Amino acid sequence: MPLFLPHFNLQKFNTLAVPAFAAYFVSVKNTEELREALLFARTENLSLLLLGGGSNIVLQDDFPGLVVHIKHQGKEIVHEDDDHVWLQVAAGENWHQLVEYTLANALYGLENLSLIPGSVGAAPIQNIGAYGVEIKELLTELTALDIRSGLSVTFTNQSCQFGYRDSIFKGALKDRYVITAVTFKLNKRPQVRVEYPALRAALAHLTQTEITPELVSAAVIAIRTNKLPDPADTPNVGSFFKNPVISKIQHEELKLRYPGIVAYDAGEGQIKLAAGWLIDRAGWKGKEAAGAAVHKDQALVLTNPHKTSGQAVLELARLIKQSVFDQFGLWLEIEPRVYP
């Protein structure tokens, strides 16, 4: 029987270090405990907040319901052939530790996603991606618990409806399922991906044949460490805004006004702009407002140096969004989910 804790301080369970309280809090280590937690929420008529690493949420106030901390652990090879291994990973596993595990066991594909904070179960919801790789390229299926019925359901890659930092679990099936395990198809032989400009530059001193997955991971870690503050030292949720995707025509118009605008081909006639560049150009890098701050080295990262309320961080985000719109005519979209 899991332990339900009342009036629980969530400050250590969200990487923004917001001192919000949950009406109830419970950690669950397996599917049966999760079912008991969901039953408790239904019986007490409580709203739910499903918590992994707490790295992609903003708590703007106390949460009046039940916070369920997913702690499922375990890894299992469920299938393999001459070239690939299908690895099923429990939702509560730490993401970066999973990447380290795969490299240590000569399983390749996740190395570009090194040092991303959070848990495995949260990764598909956001379709996490970095340095030219997205999780949708490696995920074959996932299992999830229907919050209403308690039944376990399997979703294929296609049924997850992945998009840029998006999935069906952020859209049509939002708050309907709890992801309990994810299966990845990994390579037995190295197939390094170094197309991303910053990564290619970091490894430019090596020939293609000299680049190993381990070196890719080390380069990604070095880049992220230099660009992004450690939440343990400077409370943050990583990238606070999505990179806006616009048409090539819009991009050409902006490029006439701002020749140095940073952009990448997003395929299908679309261009992805660097939100950090837009925020920096709007004059926000290193600035503080409303009790929160923009990181001095990476304008895409909002920080909570005084460990104040989530409302303060959201007010800073609102000011930045308005400023970027006024200058570029583009509305930035917040990447983390806001509760309640």
Side-chain angles (χ1 to χ4, degrees):
M1 175 75 177
L3 181 62
F4 296 93
L5 302 171
H7 193 60
F8 189 86
N9 191 342
L10 298 170
Q11 189 167 41
K12 294 182 179 179
F13 289 82
N14 72 97
T15 60
L16 265 177
V18 169
F21 283 78
Y24 290 95
F25 176 92
V26 63
S27 284
V28 295
K29 299 180 180 67
N30 53 55
T31 302
E32 284 311 308
E33 288 189 350
L34 175 57
R35 287 194 174 98
E36 290 184 51
L38 297 178
L39 177 61
F40 178 81
R42 288 197 299 271
T43 302
E44 301 296 325
N45 196 28
L46 297 171
S47 53
L48 278 173
L49 191 166
L50 304 169
L51 188 66
S55 61
N56 200 46
I57 63 171
V58 180
L59 299 167
Q60 64 176 333
D61 211 337
D62 291 342
F63 188 74
L66 173 65
V67 172
V68 181
H69 191 206
I70 308 297
K71 295 291 290 179
H72 298 52
Q73 300 290 299
K75 308 176 196 72
E76 180 185 2
I77 293 176
V78 292
H79 181 65
E80 67 178 301
D81 59 22
D82 291 342
D83 300 312
H84 300 98
V85 165
W86 282 256
L87 182 69
Q88 185 179 72
V89 186
E93 291 279 355
N94 176 273
W95 178 263
H96 180 61
Q97 290 175 7
L98 168 64
V99 177
E100 292 180 317
Y101 171 88
T102 59
L103 288 173
N105 287 274
L107 301 174
Y108 307 115
L110 300 180
E111 49 273 3
N112 293 55
L113 305 177
S114 297
L115 211 62
I116 293 178
S119 64
V120 169
I125 298 172
Q126 190 76 359
N127 182 25
I128 61 170
Y131 302 101
V133 175
E134 290 183 317
I135 195 177
K136 70 177 183 180
E137 301 169 49
L138 300 150
L139 182 151
T140 57
E141 65 179 32
L142 61 82
T143 57
L145 214 62
D146 187 315
I147 289 174
R148 298 175 184 175
S149 68
L151 296 175
S152 185
V153 180
T154 297
F155 289 83
T156 63
N157 181 297
Q158 186 175 6
S159 62
C160 291
Q161 296 182 17
F162 290 120
Y164 172 60
R165 300 297 177 271
D166 198 17
S167 72
I168 196 171
F169 305 105
K170 291 181 70 175
L173 297 183
K174 183 178 180 179
D175 298 330
R176 287 279 309 277
Y177 289 90
V178 187
I179 295 173
T180 54
V182 183
T183 301
F184 301 97
K185 182 181 178 181
L186 303 174
N187 298 310
K188 289 184 175 181
R189 298 174 182 82
Q191 295 181 8
V192 295
R193 298 272 300 276
V194 293
E195 301 91 352
Y196 195 84
L199 186 56
R200 187 168 63 245
L203 297 168
H205 61 290
L206 300 172
T207 66
Q208 185 71 24
T209 55
E210 291 175 323
I211 299 173
T212 65
E214 290 79 8
L215 288 174
V216 170
S217 176
V220 168
I221 290 170
I223 295 168
R224 291 185 70 91
T225 301
N226 289 331
K227 284 178 55 178
L228 303 172
D230 185 346
D233 301 321
T234 306
N236 72 91
V237 292
S239 300
F240 203 88
F241 299 99
K242 293 182 180 181
N243 291 320
V245 178
I246 62 174
S247 69
K248 287 188 176 180
I249 293 174
Q250 286 177 287
H251 176 236
E252 291 300 324
E253 292 172 350
L254 283 170
K255 198 161 64 171
L256 289 174
R257 293 160 52 200
Y258 306 100
I261 193 168
V262 178
Y264 308 96
D265 188 351
E268 299 181 355
Q270 294 186 308
I271 298 292
K272 184 189 299 182
L273 301 181
W277 186 92
L278 300 174
I279 297 166
D280 187 7
R281 187 62 183 256
W284 283 100
K285 183 186 281 188
K287 296 293 182 63
E288 186 168 330
V294 181
H295 194 257
K296 62 181 178 63
D297 297 322
Q298 175 50 269
L300 197 54
V301 176
L302 304 194
T303 68
N304 187 17
H306 309 298
K307 298 184 179 180
T308 186
S309 72
Q311 293 176 5
V313 179
L314 292 172
E315 174 58 17
L316 173 59
R318 185 193 68 79
L319 293 171
I320 291 170
K321 288 174 64 176
Q322 185 64 57
S323 180
V324 169
F325 178 77
D326 291 343
Q327 184 164 344
F328 300 100
L330 299 168
W331 281 112
L332 294 180
E333 184 180 348
I334 290 176
E335 190 165 314
R337 182 166 177 183
V338 178
Y339 289 94

